[in-house]
Amino acid sequence: MKKNRLGTSDLIVGEIGLGCMSLGTDESQVIPLLHEALDLGINFLDTADIYDNGHNEELIGKAIKGRRSDVIIASKVGNTRVEGQDGLVWNPSKAHIMEAIKESLRRLQTDYIDLYQLHGGTLDDNIDETIEAFAQLKREGLIREYGISSIRPNVIREYVDRSHIVSVMSQYSILDRRPEEEVLPLLTQKGISSIVRGAVASGALADGREDKAQKGYLDISGEEVISLRQQLEPLTQANRSLSQTAIQYVLAHPAVAVLAAGASSSQQLRENVEAASSPALTDDELQMIRSIRAANQYTQHR
């Protein structure tokens, strides 16, 4: 599997990673799946402190025992639950971040996190305080690098300009090309890496998932998604499937270092890894995809 550097850091990641949110909570299934991921060459595991109320981190911690040096662990912070209150409460304060990492380290059974990411962000936050928290954690050796997970260009710009982030995690696919407008060019210019999620658009661009396509995606109708799938068929009839086409599309951008692809089964895991070795899209094929109207539809909405 091709390896990429995250930004200008020392973190080297395989271009296909594992987004761990969809793993589930059954330890007897999750641990073997994580072991299989590592055996297949996946070294980037993306989680968050709120996934399954921290249980996701605990399962990763159990799975990587004896293999810590083989893994780049990425986790996230910023959301919290308040007793007696429904939903999540946004808290990017330094005090919260400095406490939250202690629990993440305990659950992950490690003394450092490779990439610690702010799990969101708004312009109303005390951004300087948030940055100072991450900078202090790096000085103390509790994290190796930090980044942000966000789809908001205005927030991303602030962190690009004011901090030393090495990565930005964003949703990006043929059906959601918003990052191409501003975010990806900015990251390319600044030497910051993109971590992609959602390359197959919640299944709308997955092989054999016409049912997902018919439901539409974001504000794109099911009819338009089906039409786009049909227009992509010339790219999938030879030696590349629809899912592989969708994955190769996002990997083609120079800012993208790794796709954090979700998987809840061995088959999905292997399909994701196989996509990395499928034929890369040519410049003509990339241009053809970009010319499809539905592919550009969602770029008009923020």
Side-chain angles (χ1 to χ4, degrees):
M1 187 188 301
K2 181 184 175 185
K3 304 282 188 180
N4 296 311
R5 185 182 302 275
L6 274 184
T8 57
S9 74
D10 293 329
L11 302 181
I12 307 298
V13 297
E15 64 179 351
I16 300 294
L18 179 60
C20 296
M21 183 175 67
S22 59
L23 287 176
T25 58
D26 186 339
E27 183 173 330
S28 66
Q29 296 181 16
V30 174
I31 300 296
L33 192 61
L34 286 167
H35 287 167
E36 183 177 8
L38 300 182
D39 292 341
L40 288 170
I42 289 175
N43 76 332
F44 181 83
L45 304 180
D46 178 74
T47 183
D49 56 4
I50 59 167
Y51 292 170
D52 297 317
N53 292 319
H55 189 50
N56 197 260
E57 287 183 327
E58 290 177 348
L59 292 173
I60 292 173
K62 292 179 179 180
I64 64 172
K65 278 186 178 179
R67 306 182 69 169
R68 179 65 182 92
S69 61
D70 299 331
V71 182
I72 300 296
I73 297 177
S75 194
K76 308 184 198 73
V77 65
N79 291 292
T80 186
R81 288 184 169 84
V82 176
E83 187 174 350
Q85 195 168 328
D86 292 334
L88 297 171
V89 175
W90 178 239
N91 187 356
S93 69
K94 181 176 181 179
H96 172 67
I97 293 170
M98 302 302 287
E99 285 300 312
I101 193 169
K102 297 176 184 177
E103 290 303 306
S104 285
L105 292 172
R106 177 186 61 79
R107 290 188 290 261
L108 290 163
Q109 299 184 52
T110 185
D111 55 5
Y112 68 95
I113 291 174
D114 298 283
L115 179 67
Y116 207 33
Q117 303 163 101
L118 185 66
H119 204 173
T122 76
L123 293 182
D124 294 328
D125 300 339
N126 186 335
I127 293 175
D128 289 331
E129 177 184 310
T130 301
I131 293 170
E132 171 54 29
F134 284 106
Q136 181 173 330
L137 290 176
K138 186 175 178 180
R139 290 194 300 269
E140 293 177 356
L142 297 179
I143 64 174
R144 293 174 67 186
E145 300 290 350
Y146 64 95
I148 181 173
S149 176
S150 176
I151 61 171
R152 297 175 175 174
N154 54 359
V155 173
I156 292 169
R157 278 197 305 271
E158 292 298 316
Y159 280 88
V160 168
D161 291 341
R162 296 160 65 173
S163 75
H164 296 288
I165 58 171
V166 300
S167 63
V168 173
M169 173 176 273
S170 291
Q171 180 172 291
Y172 176 40
S173 72
I174 292 173
L175 287 172
D176 184 359
R177 293 177 51 207
R178 288 173 295 174
E180 293 178 358
E181 293 181 64
E182 181 176 350
V183 171
L184 292 176
L186 175 64
L187 299 187
T188 301
Q189 177 189 355
K190 299 294 185 178
I192 297 170
S193 289
S194 169
I195 300 171
V196 171
R197 59 181 177 84
V200 295
S202 299
L205 296 175
D207 299 298
R209 295 311 306 267
E210 287 79 5
D211 58 327
K212 290 282 189 179
Q214 288 169 354
K215 294 179 181 179
Y217 184 69
L218 301 174
D219 67 348
I220 303 174
S221 70
E223 183 177 329
E224 285 184 298
V225 175
I226 293 294
S227 173
L228 179 138
R229 287 169 63 105
Q230 293 169 346
Q231 292 176 75
L232 292 176
E233 285 180 2
L235 306 182
T236 66
Q237 290 175 347
N239 50 4
R240 192 193 300 117
S241 71
L242 176 61
S243 296
Q244 290 171 343
T245 299
I247 288 172
Q248 284 294 340
Y249 181 81
V250 300
L251 292 179
H253 198 286
V256 175
V258 55
L259 165 62
S264 56
S265 69
S266 177
Q267 179 181 347
Q268 290 177 339
L269 188 66
R270 290 180 176 276
E271 287 174 351
N272 291 338
V273 172
E274 288 169 4
S277 58
S278 63
L281 292 164
T282 67
D283 289 343
D284 287 344
E285 288 174 327
L286 288 168
Q287 187 56 44
M288 188 276 276
I289 293 173
R290 291 170 184 148
S291 70
I292 300 174
R293 188 178 70 87
N296 294 283
Q297 185 86 359
Y298 201 66
T299 63
Q300 306 302 315
H301 301 261
R302 290 179 177 269

